[in-house]
Amino acid sequence: MGYPQIEHHGAKDGVTGSCHQLDMNATTSLLVDCGLFQGDDASIPSGEGGSRLLIDFPLDTIKALVVTHVHIDHVGRIPYLLAAGFAGPILCSEASAKLLPIVLEDAFKLSFSRDQQRIERYIDIVESRLVALPYQHWFTLVDTEELNARIRLQRAGHIIGSAYVEIDLNYPQAGESKRIVFSGDLGAPHAPFLMPPQPPERADILVLESTYGDRLHEDRQTRRQRLEAVIEQALQDQGTVLIPAFSIGRTQELLYELEEIIHTRSVGASSLANMLPSETVPASVGASSLANSNSDSPPLPSEERAGVRETIPENGITSESAGLRSKETSLAISSAAEQLPLPQQERVGERGIKTTQNEPLQAENHSPDQITTNWPKLPIILDSPLASRFTAAYRELKPFWSQEARDRVQSGRRPLGFEQLITIDSHSDHQRIVNHLAQTARPAIVIAGGGMCSGGRIVNYLKAMLGDKRHNVLFVGYQAKGTPGYAIQTFGPKGGYVDLDGERFDIRAGINSIGGYSAHADQKGLVEFVTGMQQWPTEIRVVHGEQKAKQALAARFHELYPQHDRPPAAITTGEAGDATEQDALHA
């Protein structure tokens, strides 16, 4: 029997453009993801006329598209798939069904049109095609005398709604059956909001991602401590910490962790204030020093002017429904003073902390005789309209949160809508904030859209601040080769430069990376996904990784199978020599 067969239309030789076709028989196939290529990914079609966007494979046998999760490198080519004539259902998890229209609306605006009527018609088509599947529920896709095919989604722990896909194929006439598992992107353990993935019971064929197949992550506690320490160190320069982040997943995790740091510091500061006379409590610079009346910077706006505007966005989510302040909260940045809306000075005073101006910051020391960043007053600026929409959607998806995250809400905390969080909506407000921070060097943390710095609002911040050593860029996610983020991460510490929109910018800002914030499983997690199965796969296709990562992961499996007395498996990476292993297995 020649089936099943698997074709890879992306992410076979790189980490973006995920798109895999499962040919179940000669007339029936299933497409798993249809993502966008990014950077100099080896998966990008090459040669004259090669395109990153166009669908270059036939659609006549594809009965359905399964979406593992809504990151753009897994769904970004769906508009082109629909334009090419795909008319089948789009299967995904219940949470992804809520998030996918937001992602595809943005992709449609970037690629096709900003005409609101066209966008609405397009989204109506997308929503009419969506089939939301509960986790652990078998869905019958094909039921004929020749083929019975059903699929099931299981939690992948990567972002909310992420899933790996189990596909059972039964061929009644041939008396054969196969179970194929597509991992999608697997998450790291102990991620905020998410419950960790559990391995499937078995798989005959496994298509496995390998983004971090050659390394191990730091544990969660270590990464939070590093985040706190890196920001402390960076703010000693009295500048801005820029964090490029993808709009969905990474942004919400960062907000969750920053809220935890602020909460911990606030509790600690209150305890210290109760133990010591207020005049002996150490002061800190942080954002609070900006509120001093003798500061060279203009005074900060009052609390009513900090936050987000109380307007109704296109998706109908208001600041009140998103868990933010419901009063009128215009940014109201003065054109003369270019004021940055920051939390009010009195908020820290309520916690018993005095503030003075121009005192040096010291990192990661909580003793009474040391000065630390005033976290309760430090503004956290979220500058990404798309990320704001996703954050609001995350709040509405609390049933999919982990128990820990739900417990925080029950205790009265707001992990995604805390007091220090300032969201920026309009482009004009964005530009004013960029100019203000670049000119005044007020301490702040900015999370801006554009995880690999190849687009989004982070680019304007980088253009304005990379050349100033007061500022710092903090990477908390993977940077694909060929992207500006990769260039900044690689060459920035060496005093190099980066090209942004065709212009060269020298890198003088500090550059830091924290690998523990990756939403991907590391080598240990990927290995445990396989070894946790009762029946290990007889074939593993290692995809979605750079060559080094794929080879390291494959080598680890080659060690483990004989160590655990498992039958030999065909472990392929798309590199030379794979065919020999496959032939040997089936000889």
Side-chain angles (χ1 to χ4, degrees):
M1 184 181 73
Y3 295 95
Q5 298 176 357
I6 300 175
E7 304 173 69
H8 304 286
H9 304 303
K12 178 182 179 183
D13 303 312
V15 294
T16 67
S18 289
C19 188
H20 312 282
Q21 184 173 347
L22 174 65
D23 296 314
M24 296 179 278
N25 61 24
T27 60
T28 310
S29 66
L30 179 70
L31 200 63
V32 180
D33 289 338
C34 193
L36 195 67
F37 295 107
Q38 297 174 290
D40 290 341
D41 197 310
S43 290
I44 295 173
S46 58
E48 187 174 353
S51 172
R52 300 184 180 194
L53 298 172
L54 298 180
I55 303 301
D56 58 356
F57 49 89
L59 306 179
D60 55 310
T61 68
I62 300 175
K63 303 305 180 185
L65 167 67
V66 182
V67 169
T68 61
H69 65 286
V70 301
H71 274 154
I72 199 69
D73 62 324
H74 288 255
V75 301
R77 278 191 289 166
I78 289 180
Y80 294 89
L81 184 69
L82 299 180
F86 173 72
I90 302 173
L91 312 178
C92 62
S93 71
E94 294 171 303
S96 289
K98 183 176 183 64
L99 299 172
L100 186 59
I102 302 175
V103 176
L104 294 184
E105 177 183 336
D106 187 66
F108 189 86
K109 288 178 180 179
L110 293 174
S111 303
F112 289 94
S113 171
R114 289 186 174 271
D115 179 82
Q116 190 59 35
Q117 288 187 339
R118 288 192 65 190
I119 293 170
E120 290 176 0
R121 287 197 300 269
Y122 166 71
I123 294 302
D124 286 342
I125 293 172
V126 170
E127 291 180 337
S128 69
R129 303 276 186 85
L130 288 175
V131 178
L133 302 180
Y135 290 121
Q136 301 181 344
H137 172 77
W138 283 108
F139 175 83
T140 299
L141 185 64
V142 180
D143 190 8
T144 67
E145 292 182 358
E146 182 184 350
L147 172 67
N148 176 271
R150 59 179 190 160
I151 75 169
R152 180 168 66 177
L153 303 183
Q154 302 278 27
R155 297 179 186 274
H158 179 60
I159 62 172
I160 278 188
S162 61
Y164 66 83
V165 186
E166 295 180 289
I167 305 166
D168 265 359
L169 301 180
N170 290 286
Y171 301 88
Q173 295 175 349
E176 297 184 8
S177 64
K178 290 283 185 180
R179 177 169 291 187
I180 300 95
V181 174
F182 289 85
S183 72
D185 286 355
L186 297 174
H190 311 300
F193 302 109
L194 304 176
M195 288 171 269
Q198 298 297 320
E201 179 183 348
R202 65 184 182 88
D204 296 304
I205 302 171
L206 171 64
V207 179
L208 179 65
E209 70 120 324
S210 59
T211 311
Y212 286 97
D214 60 343
R215 68 196 77 177
L216 300 176
H217 296 326
E218 301 165 68
D219 62 40
R220 179 177 169 186
Q221 185 65 22
T222 301
R223 76 183 190 182
R224 189 182 71 77
Q225 291 172 349
R226 283 202 63 201
L227 175 68
E228 186 173 359
V230 166
I231 292 174
E232 286 272 16
Q233 183 66 39
L235 291 175
Q236 291 188 37
D237 299 329
Q238 288 294 279
T240 298
V241 178
L242 302 177
I243 307 179
F246 293 106
S247 298
I248 181 168
R250 193 68 44 77
T251 291
Q252 290 75 35
E253 287 195 17
L254 282 168
L255 294 178
Y256 187 91
E257 298 281 72
L258 289 168
E259 188 274 343
E260 170 66 12
I261 296 172
I262 292 169
H263 174 78
T264 302
R265 289 297 188 95
S266 299
V267 171
S270 297
S271 299
L272 184 60
N274 292 331
M275 293 170 58
L276 300 171
S278 60
E279 62 269 19
T280 66
V281 177
S284 62
V285 179
S288 59
S289 68
L290 307 175
N292 293 327
S293 58
N294 62 341
S295 171
D296 293 333
S297 301
L300 299 177
S302 65
E303 179 177 357
E304 286 72 23
R305 298 171 67 186
V308 295
R309 262 197 308 279
E310 182 60 71
T311 57
I312 307 296
E314 292 178 10
N315 66 337
I317 298 174
T318 65
S319 60
E320 183 175 5
S321 69
L324 301 175
R325 287 185 291 273
S326 59
K327 64 182 72 174
E328 178 65 31
T329 52
S330 170
L331 284 170
I333 303 173
S334 167
S335 58
E338 290 291 86
Q339 293 183 144
L340 175 65
L342 298 173
Q344 194 174 1
Q345 178 178 357
E346 286 73 21
R347 294 179 188 167
V348 174
E350 293 171 358
R351 297 182 175 94
I353 303 177
K354 292 178 61 178
T355 62
T356 59
Q357 187 182 8
N358 298 327
E359 294 181 5
L361 292 172
Q362 295 189 15
E364 206 56 43
N365 193 321
H366 301 263
S367 64
D369 58 344
Q370 298 293 329
I371 301 168
T372 59
T373 299
N374 195 338
W375 282 88
K377 286 264 329 248
L378 183 66
I380 314 297
I381 300 170
L382 176 58
D383 193 350
S384 169
L386 188 60
S388 297
R389 291 184 67 183
F390 282 128
T391 302
Y394 259 60
R395 294 189 190 101
E396 297 175 9
L397 292 169
K398 288 188 181 72
F400 297 94
W401 290 18
S402 66
Q403 188 61 50
E404 177 196 80
R406 284 178 283 167
D407 287 345
R408 289 192 185 184
V409 175
Q410 289 296 319
S411 70
R413 290 166 60 180
R414 297 185 297 171
L416 297 180
F418 49 94
E419 185 181 16
Q420 292 80 3
L421 179 61
I422 301 166
T423 62
I424 306 299
D425 185 13
S426 74
H427 180 74
S428 59
D429 289 339
H430 154 72
Q431 197 59 60
R432 290 185 183 128
I433 291 293
V434 171
N435 294 338
H436 179 84
L437 291 176
Q439 294 167 9
T440 64
R442 287 182 166 182
I445 298 172
V446 172
I447 303 171
M452 296 187 187
C453 307
S454 53
R457 291 187 173 181
I458 190 63
V459 175
N460 289 332
Y461 285 99
L462 294 171
K463 289 178 179 179
M465 300 184 186
L466 272 181
D468 189 336
K469 64 182 181 180
R470 296 177 299 179
H471 304 298
N472 286 264
V473 181
L474 175 59
F475 290 104
V476 293
Y478 181 84
Q479 303 300 308
K481 287 185 178 180
T483 61
Y486 179 86
I488 295 170
Q489 186 181 54
T490 304
F491 304 111
K494 305 173 185 177
Y497 65 87
V498 63
D499 289 326
L500 298 172
D501 293 336
E503 185 178 355
R504 178 172 295 184
F505 292 86
D506 292 330
I507 304 172
R508 299 189 182 92
I511 308 298
N512 290 282
S513 299
I514 301 180
Y517 272 88
S518 173
H520 287 269
D522 59 8
Q523 186 188 83
K524 182 175 182 289
L526 295 169
V527 166
E528 289 177 349
F529 186 74
V530 173
T531 59
M533 299 183 193
Q534 294 180 25
Q535 177 185 315
W536 292 15
T538 55
E539 179 180 347
I540 301 177
R541 294 191 175 207
V542 182
V543 298
H544 201 288
E546 295 179 355
Q547 181 177 351
K548 180 183 175 183
K550 290 193 298 181
Q551 290 177 340
L553 184 60
R556 183 67 182 134
F557 286 130
H558 281 302
E559 295 173 354
L560 287 170
Y561 267 74
Q563 288 177 7
H564 291 264
D565 295 322
R566 299 285 176 162
I571 303 170
T572 62
T573 64
E575 309 296 332
D578 282 346
T580 303
E581 295 178 37
Q582 183 79 8
D583 293 342
L585 178 67
H586 296 289

